Every structure is written in C-alpha cells, then in structure tokens.
Amino acid sequence: MSFLLSELNEEQLKPVLDTEGAVLVTAGAGSGKTRLLTHRIAYLVTEKNVNPYNILAITFTNKAASEMRERLAAMIPNAADGMLISTFHSMCVRILRRFIDRIGYDKNFSIYGEDEKERIVKNIIKAKELDAEELVKKAIWSISDAKNDGLTPEEYKKHNEYYDNIDEICIIYAEYQKELKRNNALDYDDLLLVTHKLLTEDSDALQYCQNRFKYIHVDEFQDTNTVQYDLVRLIGAKYGNVFAVGDEDQCIYGWRGADFRNIFNFTHDFEGCRVYKLERNYRSTQNILNAANRVIKHNTARLEKTLWTDNGQGDPIEFYRANSEQEEAHAVVNSIVGLVRNGKYKFSDIAILMRLNALSRSFEEKLLQYGIPHKIFGGFKFFERKEIKDLLAYLKVLGNPADSEALVRIINFPKRGIGDGTIAQLRNYAAVTGKNVTDVILGIKTNPDLPLSVVKKIAGFSELLEMLYEVKKNCGIYELVDRLVSALGLHVLYGGDDEESRNRLMHIEEFLASVKQFEEANEGADLSDYLQMISLYSDTDEMDGSDYVSIATVHSAKGLEFKVVYIVGLEEGIFPIIRMDSSEDEQEERRLFYVAVTRAKERLFTTYSASRFLYGQRKQMFPTRFLKEAGIVPDTVSYSGSRRYGSAYSDSAPSYSHTAPNASQAKPIVQRPAAAPAKQSADLSGFTVGAEVMHPKFGKGVIVNVSDEHNSKYAQVSFDTVGNITLALDYAPLKLCN
C-alpha cells in the first residue's frame, strides 16, 4: 500500500472504512477533507479492489480537482488516470459530448459565458421593444435562478407570479433558450440542466453513467443547487454508494442557487445514510478557531460542531480602526512590509480579503507605491481582455459553425466595412433557408440570391474562414492559433508604439504560450477540449505559487489558505452587505465571514474604516456586528477610541490592537523584488519637484509634487507610459537621473 491509513485521525478513519451505501461527512474548515477523500478512494482501489474506472469524484473548482488528482497519482500511480475527478460542470460536459445528439444538439456545442448571455438578452429586449433599463439585470438573474431550480419559463412564471415584470421576464427566458438552441450553445447553467434532462429522458445515457460511476464522491456538498443534487441522486440511484462531504457553515453561494439544506436532505433521501463529523482542524491556531466558533454559533440553521486544533493558541487576532480607506490601506501595507522584512513570511504567504471587489483599489495603489508584487483575484480575468476574446471567438466559430454570437463578434474584426445592415441580411437569409450564418458566408461566392454588395463585403471574410477550416483539419491547436494571429495581421494591427498596443501584443503572445502549454500537457486534445477548458476557467486557476500578495474577494478565496490573512472593510453595509433583507441573508453573510476567518493559518488581522468613499460619496461607517460576535473586540470596546496599541511593526506604521485577552491579470501587476522592499537610508533631498527620475517598470518621469504623510515621504511622478503615480520614496525603486 503506497499510502497509510495511520495518517488519518480516528474521526477521518471511520468514514474511510465505511465504503458501501450512503455516507455523509460534515467536515469543519481545515479538517482535512481532501486527505479524507483521497485516502478513501485509494482504499477502495487497493483494499476493496474497486476498478478506478468506476470511481467518480466531484468538487467545485478546477484547482481542487487538480490537487485531488495529483495526490491520488502519488498514492495509487497506476490507477488514478482511470477515474474521473472533475467539477460538476466538467463532468456534465463530458456526458453531453457523448450523448447530447440524442436530444437535438450537435456534439460540438459552444459554452456561453456571462458576456454572451447579456448580449442575447439585450437583443431580445430590443427586438421586443421592452424597457431595457428595467429588465436586463432582472432577466439575467431570473434565467439563472430558474435554471438552478430546474424550472422552465412556464414553471418559473407559476412559482413567481407576483414578481415584478414576471410576464416579460419569462418571455425573454423563452426567447433566450430558442436563441441558444439556434446557436447550438449552452450556458453554464444549461450544462447542468441539459445533462439532467438527458439523464431523465434517455435510459441509455442514464445506464451508462450509473454503471460507470458505481462509487460517487462529492466534495463541498453544501454548495450543490437543486439540479446538482438531483444529478447525484440520478447517477447514484442504482448502487447507492454516494459519499458526500460538506460543511453547512461554509455555504456562501446562496445567491447563485446553492442550498445548504441539501446536507440535511441527503440524510432523508438516501436510505440508511450514516453521518460522521470532523471537528479537528489542521490549518489554523486555536485563537483563530475560537473566533470562527464564536461567530458561527449565532447561526441557527446548522449542525452543531466546534473546531479545535493541536496547533497551539497562536498569536492574538489583531484589529485596526482607520479614519479612511487610505489610512486603512497604509496600515495593512506597512504591516505586510514589517512581516516580510522580519524574514518569517514571504509575500505569497499573505492575502488581503474583502467582501466587495470595489474595495481593492486603495490596497492596489498602496502596494504599487511600495513596489510590492501582488495579484487581484475575483476581478478582471486574463481571458476577458478584448484581444483574447476576439481570438477565442474565431476559435469558437471554427469549433461550432452554428455559433452566431461568436460570428457577429469577429465578422468585422479586423475592420472590413461590414455593418449591422449586412449582418441583418445574412441572418435573415439564414433563417429563410434554414442554414446557419457561417454556412451562408462560406457559400457566399456561389449564392445568387444575395445582393452583389453583400457578396463583395463578405468575400474576404469567407476566404479567411475557408482557409482556417482547412488549417484546423490538418494542424494542431497551437499551429491553428499561430496561423490565425498571422492571418489577422495582429502584429501590424497592434504594432503601435503606445502602451495599449504593446500590452495587447504581450497578451496575445501569452495566449499563444498558454495554447502551446495546453497542447503539450494534453496529448491528443483537440480544439473543443481547449475551448471547454477556457469556458470552465476560473481566475484562481492562475495561482502558481509565485511570490506575490493575493488580493481577493472572500468568495474567490473559498478553498484557499494563507499563513497571514487581512480581512478589510469590516463595516456594516459592506460586510454584511447592505442588501440583506432576511434572516437567511444575514446567516449567509455570517458564513462568509466564517470562511474569511478560517482562511488564516497563523496570523489574522482585521480592519475597518470610520469613513469610506464608496458609490460616489463619502459616508460615516460603523464596524460590523461580526467583530463583536467573534470576540475579536469585546463588547466594552469603544470604536471611537485609540487606534494604537503595542505591535511588532515598523515605528512609522499605524498599528493594530490585539484582541481581548480571552478572545479567540495573468501576471503580478508590478515587478517582483527578491525580498521585502528595504527602507532606503540614502539621502532623499534630491527628490524635489521638477527632478527627472527613472523607474524600472514605468521608465523615465518627472516629479510634479512631493509630500510627507504617515512619517514617510511621497513623490507624485508623471511618467510618459502610465501618467501620474504617487510613490513612497522610502521604498519605491526610484533613481534620480544625472
């Protein structure tokens, strides 16, 4: 046996050995869920002689699936490749690629993201002459809400008959589904819903899944929605060997359909279900767990459990009250500098977590000033950049000729003088003849029924597509993309000397490199495999272990852990969010805070600002109720009192207060120094207004203003490349020009 059951504690061992029938494990944060799952799967293969082909392990992120796959490859190297370890969506894509033609789709379907969804909804609203301002967001949210519950437009209308604009919303929903079908496309919710439809309507597909997946493991079970839960029930119905691991205290996706009550439903719906509880935490110190235990006990809809650890009490949790968001960011970044300079931590050990991505700007600016490498997650993703989306749209059309949304994006890129009128004529002709628009374009030269002006405008684009389809037949993915970039003349199009053009070319080169890497790592994969990977991509997949500070929303940090965590913006109206309108909403916000706290392994810092500029105005802010509930500050603390207590940070840094004695883009944005930025001891007198300076990233600039704040000297520099940036002279890698 290449793994040891002795590595498990008594709580973990019991469910690992309980291999037949339904098992539910309610596992607290940091309790070793991945270890539990991998050991159970390895035990099934090596001790129970289960064929790896018959094992399914489902989790919610690509990162978690990859980690599980790597661990199992080390434990049972000759067997891990035979089993399916994937996310729900990836599993559904795999099933649909095999069977979807049985319910009226082509197997080369496209997967639409939020951009395509919004564009289609807007077009429907415009065509129906409805009030766009009122309906776009409502319709998009409602369509997803309906699909998460497995409801058709008619069923959704019946369930929500008193909802404002419900008639219009259901009309839009119905038209939206028709447009997807015309484009041979599915959105993310459809991947689940259409798989459910397939398995309920096609007995061969259901039997295939049931006979293949005799042992089913589901991680993060609290995050399943109605359709996902039913998929597990359908596939697991024949053999009943379903192993569910979850923690209702970490259900934070209610807004997208997750229902933590599925944990309670599981015990009723799977006959003879056994329940196990994991409370020992391997991640955090006891002080951090005490705060987590205290806050989550205020929730009523949960299974009782109390996290504990052998890791020791650890450092006290610290708290800082700032006067403004700038002061808050200054305190956090100074604290980071102190921790890293002391040598105990690297930048990659540290995360700044927040409830709203909108809070990230002040922290990003301050990290930039200090030359600290950082990356933002839960924000703008690499594959959402225009130049990358344009290339992906070409690839989508090559993979699925019926994808008219992708076609409309590229038909005039680069510019070919093809306007909305020409596109409308092509669409109308396609509708009349029963063809898709791509087929009309490919046959444009021999088509006598379209005006000569349309034929002339489209001819060049038609020739380009013909050439690319031919390349696709005979070449690999990388060569296809390389030829595409060349054929579009992107090096000429983005050949300007401005920063924007240089960045776009850099992103295109990086995209080419990612395609090559995918092709080398996935022998035999084709274009549809690559497009599937991109469609199901998450920005946290970019976490590569490089040395940078992570800035993330709490939602995007789920499943991650860091030695040092700063939870910022802890104010009423932000965390918990202002739009709470029920006790259930408040309980989810509390679970979100619990998740944030339990990301920390060794040090936890909490901050709030007494005033904040947000949504266009400055407001007085009040600390979140969660701070007192968690015991991070005692009930007797006056929030308007002193902000400074003793600390281990640099003398110039605003410091945190300890808790009460009994309380518990695809590359880093800036250059990556080898160590924490050292405070410069050199003479700074030459950094005056008008002085020319040189920065290793931004190039040459001129100082336009100098100021003293927080015991540090700052210079506002006007750079030719990026405009005005304020830099901390004590730390920034700035040199005077001779």
Side-chain angles (χ1 to χ4, degrees):
M1 200 183 331
S2 57
F3 68 99
L4 297 173
L5 293 180
S6 59
E7 295 173 339
L8 304 175
N9 65 38
E10 188 178 348
E11 286 180 341
Q12 295 168 328
L13 185 60
K14 289 178 181 177
V16 164
L17 300 179
D18 191 352
T19 59
E20 305 304 308
V23 175
L24 172 67
V25 181
T26 173
S31 59
K33 288 185 301 165
T34 305
R35 182 191 300 173
L36 172 79
L37 285 161
T38 51
H39 276 72
R40 187 178 200 269
I41 291 170
Y43 180 75
L44 283 170
V45 173
T46 59
E47 298 301 304
K48 294 294 184 178
N49 298 316
V50 174
N51 189 331
Y53 181 78
N54 295 132
I55 293 176
L56 169 65
I58 309 172
T59 186
F60 273 79
T61 67
N62 296 325
K63 190 176 181 68
S66 296
E67 182 184 350
M68 195 181 300
R69 207 174 291 118
E70 288 168 9
R71 289 201 196 183
L72 281 165
M75 296 166 75
I76 43 174
N78 298 322
D81 290 343
M83 59 190 70
L84 180 59
I85 305 168
S86 77
T87 63
F88 263 106
H89 290 86
S90 294
M91 177 194 74
C92 288
V93 170
R94 186 179 290 245
I95 294 168
L96 292 172
R97 293 284 184 212
R98 188 181 185 100
F99 293 108
I100 198 171
D101 56 332
R102 298 183 175 213
I103 52 173
Y105 289 83
D106 188 276
K107 289 182 179 180
N108 290 322
F109 57 87
S110 293
I111 302 172
Y112 280 179
E114 292 305 306
D115 282 353
E116 290 93 345
K117 179 188 283 190
E118 183 176 341
R119 195 157 53 244
I120 293 171
V121 166
K122 283 182 175 179
N123 288 339
I124 293 168
I125 288 172
K126 184 178 178 181
K128 298 287 183 183
E129 298 183 343
L130 302 171
D131 184 353
E133 284 288 324
E134 179 75 15
L135 280 178
V136 174
K137 286 185 178 178
K138 272 187 181 181
I140 290 171
W141 183 88
S142 297
I143 289 169
S144 187
D145 185 47
K147 291 184 178 184
N148 282 329
D149 286 336
L151 301 177
T152 64
E154 296 76 18
E155 291 167 340
Y156 191 69
K157 181 177 179 180
K158 187 175 180 180
H159 279 72
N160 299 275
E161 57 184 317
Y162 298 111
Y163 187 53
D164 287 348
N165 307 112
I166 189 62
D167 291 336
E168 293 90 341
I169 285 169
C170 289
I171 289 170
I172 295 166
Y173 179 14
E175 289 298 316
Y176 172 77
Q177 289 303 102
K178 290 177 185 175
E179 183 64 17
L180 288 186
K181 191 68 165 55
R182 279 192 289 268
N183 292 350
N184 190 39
L186 305 176
D187 63 22
Y188 292 142
D189 299 317
D190 279 332
L191 294 177
L192 306 173
L193 195 59
V194 175
T195 303
H196 186 273
K197 173 182 170 66
L198 170 71
L199 296 184
T200 52
E201 294 181 2
D202 190 282
S203 59
D204 289 343
L206 179 60
Q207 285 181 34
Y208 167 82
C209 293
Q210 289 179 339
N211 289 330
R212 174 168 181 189
F213 303 126
K214 295 179 181 178
Y215 289 85
I216 301 169
H217 301 75
V218 187
D219 192 12
E220 307 288 3
F221 197 74
Q222 77 282 348
D223 291 333
T224 54
N225 61 27
T226 300
V227 179
Q228 289 164 332
Y229 183 76
D230 282 346
L231 283 171
V232 172
R233 291 178 64 190
L234 277 168
I235 298 172
K238 183 171 183 178
Y239 291 96
N241 299 320
V242 180
F243 186 83
V245 183
D247 180 10
E248 74 287 353
D249 291 337
Q250 295 187 74
C251 182
I252 59 174
Y253 298 112
W255 48 275
R256 69 182 190 198
D259 189 349
F260 68 90
R261 287 168 295 198
N262 285 342
I263 282 186
F264 306 105
N265 295 337
F266 187 87
T267 60
H268 301 122
D269 293 338
F270 287 84
E271 189 176 348
C273 173
R274 281 88 66 200
V275 180
Y276 297 91
K277 191 185 296 187
L278 300 186
E279 296 177 293
R280 181 176 179 179
N281 178 283
Y282 289 91
R283 177 188 299 154
S284 307
T285 64
Q286 192 61 53
N287 274 334
I288 292 168
L289 297 182
N290 288 345
N293 287 330
R294 284 189 174 105
V295 74
I296 204 63
K297 283 184 185 298
H298 287 77
N299 274 7
T300 55
R302 62 186 297 265
L303 298 170
E304 183 61 34
K305 58 183 173 294
T306 302
L307 299 180
W308 64 276
T309 186
D310 280 338
N311 292 340
Q313 286 297 120
D315 290 303
I317 298 171
E318 302 201 30
F319 168 74
Y320 180 74
R321 170 192 173 274
N323 285 322
S324 67
E325 63 271 26
Q326 289 84 9
E327 187 179 277
E328 180 185 37
H330 179 79
V332 168
V333 174
N334 261 294
S335 170
I336 291 171
V337 168
L339 289 176
V340 177
R341 191 190 300 144
N342 287 341
K344 188 174 181 182
Y345 297 106
K346 306 191 299 282
F347 291 122
S348 56
D349 294 328
I350 300 169
I352 301 171
L353 304 184
M354 57 200 65
R355 175 64 178 86
L356 299 175
N357 193 58
L359 303 187
S360 65
R361 183 184 58 82
S362 58
F363 296 95
E364 185 180 3
E365 287 178 354
K366 192 60 66 175
L367 290 164
L368 186 65
Q369 288 175 10
Y370 280 67
I372 294 176
H374 56 283
K375 191 185 282 190
I376 298 176
F377 300 94
F380 197 70
K381 300 182 181 75
F382 176 76
F383 293 106
E384 290 178 354
R385 300 177 188 279
K386 179 191 180 301
E387 58 274 18
I388 305 304
K389 287 168 75 171
D390 290 335
L391 287 171
L392 286 173
Y394 269 97
L395 296 180
K396 286 178 180 179
V397 171
L398 294 175
N400 173 22
D403 192 341
S404 64
E405 283 300 305
L407 187 75
V408 168
R409 182 179 183 96
I410 63 172
I411 197 168
N412 201 36
F413 173 79
K415 291 192 181 300
R416 303 182 176 92
I418 301 172
D420 291 343
T422 301
I423 294 171
Q425 285 180 290
L426 292 170
R427 281 185 184 274
N428 290 338
Y429 184 78
V432 169
T433 58
K435 298 179 178 179
N436 63 58
V437 181
T438 302
D439 287 340
V440 172
I441 290 170
L442 290 172
I444 197 77
K445 290 181 182 177
T446 57
N447 195 320
D449 299 322
L450 284 167
L452 186 60
S453 60
V454 172
V455 174
K456 285 182 177 179
K457 283 182 180 179
I458 296 298
F461 182 54
S462 176
E463 290 173 2
L464 173 64
L465 287 183
E466 282 180 3
M467 183 273 288
L468 291 172
Y469 277 114
E470 197 61 34
V471 172
K472 175 177 175 278
K473 286 180 192 174
N474 303 308
C475 300
I477 314 169
Y478 174 76
E479 189 173 342
L480 172 63
V481 178
D482 191 43
R483 292 280 295 274
L484 172 61
V485 169
S486 177
L488 296 179
L490 297 186
H491 286 91
V492 176
L493 182 65
Y494 298 132
D497 200 32
D498 57 290
E499 185 75 8
E500 183 179 353
S501 294
R502 285 196 295 271
N503 283 337
R504 285 187 169 172
L505 275 182
M506 181 179 70
H507 297 147
I508 289 168
E509 291 302 323
E510 190 167 340
F511 179 63
L512 280 164
S514 78
V515 173
K516 192 172 189 65
Q517 185 179 25
F518 174 84
E519 192 169 55
E520 290 172 351
N522 298 273
E523 188 177 350
D526 60 15
L527 180 60
S528 66
D529 295 318
Y530 180 72
L531 290 173
Q532 175 183 321
M533 185 274 290
I534 298 300
S535 297
L536 303 178
Y537 165 86
S538 163
D539 61 349
T540 54
D541 296 341
E542 292 177 7
M543 289 188 167
D544 55 10
S546 300
D547 197 23
Y548 53 77
V549 173
S550 297
I551 305 175
T553 61
V554 183
H555 282 103
S556 63
K558 175 86 182 316
L560 304 176
E561 59 182 37
F562 303 89
K563 288 183 178 179
V564 181
V565 168
Y566 295 82
I567 311 176
V568 301
L570 288 173
E571 296 132 38
E572 289 290 322
I574 292 179
F575 204 165
I577 197 73
I578 198 168
R579 58 176 173 265
M580 287 193 315
D581 55 17
S582 70
S583 170
E584 196 168 298
D585 290 339
E586 181 182 356
Q587 294 201 43
E588 177 148 333
E589 290 292 305
R590 189 174 285 109
R591 291 194 293 268
L592 190 61
F593 182 75
Y594 172 86
V595 166
V597 168
T598 54
R599 297 313 92 198
K601 297 171 72 175
E602 298 176 8
R603 303 292 302 272
L604 178 60
F605 301 86
T606 57
T607 71
Y608 103 93
S609 178
S611 80
R612 188 177 297 278
F613 190 83
L614 199 62
Y615 307 126
Q617 57 183 317
R618 180 160 295 283
K619 291 183 177 180
Q620 182 182 4
M621 307 300 289
F622 300 94
T624 175
R625 68 197 74 172
F626 300 151
L627 283 166
K628 285 186 176 179
E629 290 179 359
I632 292 174
V633 293
D635 291 339
T636 55
V637 159
S638 168
Y639 287 104
S640 60
S642 170
R643 302 185 321 271
R644 188 182 293 272
Y645 288 67
S647 80
Y649 309 125
S650 59
D651 292 339
S652 63
S655 60
Y656 288 79
S657 66
H658 293 302
T659 56
N662 296 322
S664 57
Q665 320 160 353
K667 289 186 177 178
I669 300 166
V670 297
Q671 71 282 359
R672 182 176 297 149
K679 189 166 184 175
Q680 299 178 21
S681 57
D683 181 11
L684 300 178
S685 60
F687 291 88
T688 58
V689 174
E692 290 191 344
V693 293
M694 179 64 69
H695 189 282
K697 179 175 176 67
F698 307 126
K700 187 176 283 189
V702 177
I703 295 177
V704 295
N705 187 44
V706 177
S707 61
D708 289 291
E709 300 177 49
H710 309 295
N711 299 318
S712 292
K713 192 171 186 178
Y714 293 82
Q716 186 180 30
V717 185
S718 177
F719 292 101
D720 294 337
T721 54
V722 292
N724 287 4
I725 290 182
T726 300
L727 299 168
L729 291 177
D730 287 335
Y731 301 95
L734 207 60
K735 292 184 178 179
L736 290 167
C737 297
N738 295 328

